[in-house]
Amino acid sequence: MRAPQEQPELDRALGRRLGGLAGAAALGGLAWVARDVPLALGGRLAGARARRAARSPQFRDGRFHNPTGARSTIAEPGRNLLWELLFGKQKRRPSAPVPLLRPADAPADTDAGRELNIVWYGHASALVEIEGRRVLLDPVWSERCSPSALVGPRRLHQPPVRLDELPPLDAIVISHDHYDHLDLPTVRGLLATQRAPFLVPLGVGAHLDRWGVPEERIVELDWSETHSVAGLEITATAAQHFSGRGLRRDGTLWSSWVIAGAQRRVFYTGDSGYFAGYAAIGAQHGPFDVTLVQIGAYDRAWPSIHMYPEEAVAAHLDLRGGLFIPVHWATFNLALHDWAEPVDRLWAEAKARDVRIAVPRPGERVVVDDPPPVDGWWQAVA
C-alpha cells in the first residue's frame, strides 16, 4: 500500500504524462489536418512555363503587371481594417439560409445552335451552356476558400449540387489563382469525374502540374490568345487584379474570358477593378449576349482590384453586353460591406441605366433569351 504522501506526486506525474499525450495528439491532429497546406499553395514557375511567362508583354522584373500600373496594395490611412473586420457593425452574413435550387433540365425545345443558359452555383462558380457545349467557370466546392480546412472564409451556403453531379464538361476555365477561384480539392474532384481541359492564365499551370493534372489537360493562355475546344473559341482577355497563393504575389497571370460559339458570346470578368480595357474588349469581341460580372468584395481600401456595383454596370455597358448576371457575392465573406449590399446597389444602378439583369438563386438556371424577373429574393434572408 502506498504512503498517503506519495499519491499527490503520482497524480502530478500522471497528469504530466496525460497532458503530454494530449499535446502530442493535438499537434498530431493539427499536422494531419494541415498536411495538404503546402500542396494547396501550388507550384512555382519553372522550366518551359517560366520561359513562356517571361516572353509575355505583361511580365517584367520577375512578375506580372496590370497595364494601368495598378497595384494590389490594401490600405487606407487612418483606418484600422483589422479592428473593423473583427468589431465592425456591418451585417456581413445573411440572417436566414440562402435559398438553393437544383438546376432544372434545360428547355427541351431549345435549338442547340442558339442555346445559351447560365447556372450560377455561388460566388464566381458558374456553368455556361452554349450551343450544346458546357464550360465551367472558377469552380470552388470546398467548405473554405483557404489552403487550410481549419481557418479561412467559410461558405455561407452549401453548393446547390455535388461536384460529381455536374454534367459532362467541355472546358474548365480558371480566371486566376486566388483560393476563392482555384481550389485544390475541387480540382482533384474534377480530375476524377471529368475529362475536360483546364484553360488557365499563364503560370497557373504550375499549380495544376503539382496537383497531378495531366499535361494534355492544361492549356495556358496569355491575354489575347485563343484556344479552340468543342467548337468554341475561348479567349483570355485583360483584367486589372493580382495573383498569389502564398507570400509571393503576381507570379501568375490573371484574366477575364470570352467564350464564343458560332452565334452566341459570353464574357466573364474574373476579378478586376474597373479599367479602360473593357471598352477595348467590347469593341474587339462584343457584343455579348450575357456578361458575368464581379460585384462583391469591394472596399475603398482596395478600389483598383475589385469593382463597385456601379462600376460593374459601367463595365457591362463598355463591353456591349446584353443580359447582366452578377457573380462574386453571397457565398464567402471576403469584405467589410453588408452581405446584400452589392446586389442592392447593382439593382438600383441597373434600373437607373436601363440595364437588363438576372439575379438567380444559387443553382438556378437562367435562360439568357428568357431570363426570370428580378424578385429581390435576397432581401428576405438579408
Side-chain angles (χ1 to χ4, degrees):
M1 183 173 180
R2 297 187 186 277
Q5 62 270 24
E6 293 179 4
Q7 192 61 42
E9 182 59 34
L10 288 171
D11 290 344
R12 284 192 292 270
L14 180 60
R16 287 193 296 270
R17 178 168 294 183
L18 290 175
L21 290 172
L27 288 174
L30 287 173
W32 185 85
V33 171
R35 70 196 186 284
D36 277 347
V37 169
L39 183 62
L41 294 176
R44 291 180 69 96
L45 276 178
R49 295 199 190 282
R51 291 191 293 273
R52 183 156 182 245
R55 295 193 296 269
S56 169
Q58 282 63 249
F59 193 86
R60 62 184 182 277
D61 304 324
R63 65 183 185 88
F64 289 95
H65 293 258
N66 286 305
T68 60
R71 299 293 299 275
S72 59
T73 302
I74 297 176
E76 185 177 346
R79 185 179 176 197
N80 189 328
L81 291 172
L82 179 60
W83 187 95
E84 194 171 342
L85 178 68
L86 296 175
F87 304 110
K89 302 301 183 183
Q90 300 94 340
K91 191 173 181 180
R92 299 169 60 214
R93 306 174 66 88
S95 59
V98 175
L100 307 179
L101 294 179
R102 292 186 63 84
D105 292 336
D109 58 350
T110 298
D111 176 1
R114 292 285 303 169
E115 179 192 28
L116 185 54
N117 311 315
I118 306 295
V119 181
W120 177 60
Y121 297 114
H123 198 59
S125 302
L127 181 69
V128 178
E129 299 174 330
I130 177 171
E131 298 178 4
R133 305 302 185 185
R134 300 184 185 96
V135 178
L136 183 63
L137 304 176
D138 283 348
V140 174
W141 257 249
S142 287
E143 185 66 18
R144 298 183 187 272
C145 55
S146 167
S148 167
L150 286 178
V151 296
R154 194 169 187 173
R155 300 186 73 93
L156 301 176
H157 66 81
Q158 290 303 304
V161 298
R162 298 193 315 268
L163 197 62
D164 62 4
E165 293 179 305
L166 291 177
L169 303 172
D170 295 286
I172 301 162
V173 169
I174 306 296
S175 64
H176 62 297
D177 71 0
H178 286 158
Y179 296 104
D180 57 323
H181 297 258
L182 178 64
D183 175 59
L184 168 59
T186 303
V187 168
R188 283 175 163 170
L190 291 170
L191 274 178
T193 58
Q194 299 284 344
R195 293 174 169 266
F198 291 81
L199 277 62
V200 301
L202 287 179
V204 176
H207 302 318
L208 301 182
D209 284 336
R210 190 176 182 198
W211 298 344
V213 178
E215 176 65 27
E216 64 271 16
R217 288 186 64 179
I218 302 173
V219 179
E220 279 193 337
L221 298 177
D222 200 352
W223 293 347
S224 300
E225 291 184 339
T226 299
H227 181 74
S228 299
V229 57
L232 302 175
E233 298 289 306
I234 302 180
T235 303
T237 45
Q240 183 173 282
H241 198 54
F242 70 108
S243 66
R245 296 178 74 82
L247 297 177
R248 183 171 180 265
R249 285 190 173 185
D250 303 337
T252 65
L253 187 58
W254 46 95
S255 292
S256 58
W257 292 89
V258 172
I259 303 168
Q263 301 184 66
R264 314 306 299 262
R265 288 179 174 264
V266 177
F267 181 80
Y268 169 48
T269 60
D271 280 5
S272 180
Y274 179 73
F275 72 123
Y278 288 126
I281 294 168
Q284 182 175 357
H285 297 282
F288 295 99
D289 297 284
V290 61
T291 66
L292 287 79
V293 185
Q294 167 255 309
I295 66 164
Y298 51 80
D299 193 274
R300 63 183 186 270
W302 52 88
S304 65
I305 58 172
H306 278 176
M307 285 185 281
Y308 291 96
E310 295 79 10
E311 292 176 318
V313 172
H316 170 84
L317 292 170
D318 289 349
L319 290 159
R320 302 165 64 200
L323 182 68
F324 179 126
I325 295 180
V327 298
H328 207 272
W329 78 284
T331 306
F332 295 110
N333 190 345
L334 302 177
L336 301 172
H337 53 65
D338 287 354
W339 176 79
E341 181 185 297
V343 72
D344 281 335
R345 288 174 61 168
L346 168 68
W347 198 9
E349 185 71 4
K351 287 186 284 191
R353 303 192 67 172
D354 196 26
V355 168
R356 291 190 307 124
I357 67 171
V359 186
R361 295 154 177 80
E364 184 176 3
R365 174 180 279 104
V366 174
V367 178
V368 171
D369 293 336
D370 186 23
V374 181
D375 61 4
W377 62 263
W378 62 89
Q379 295 173 344
V381 300

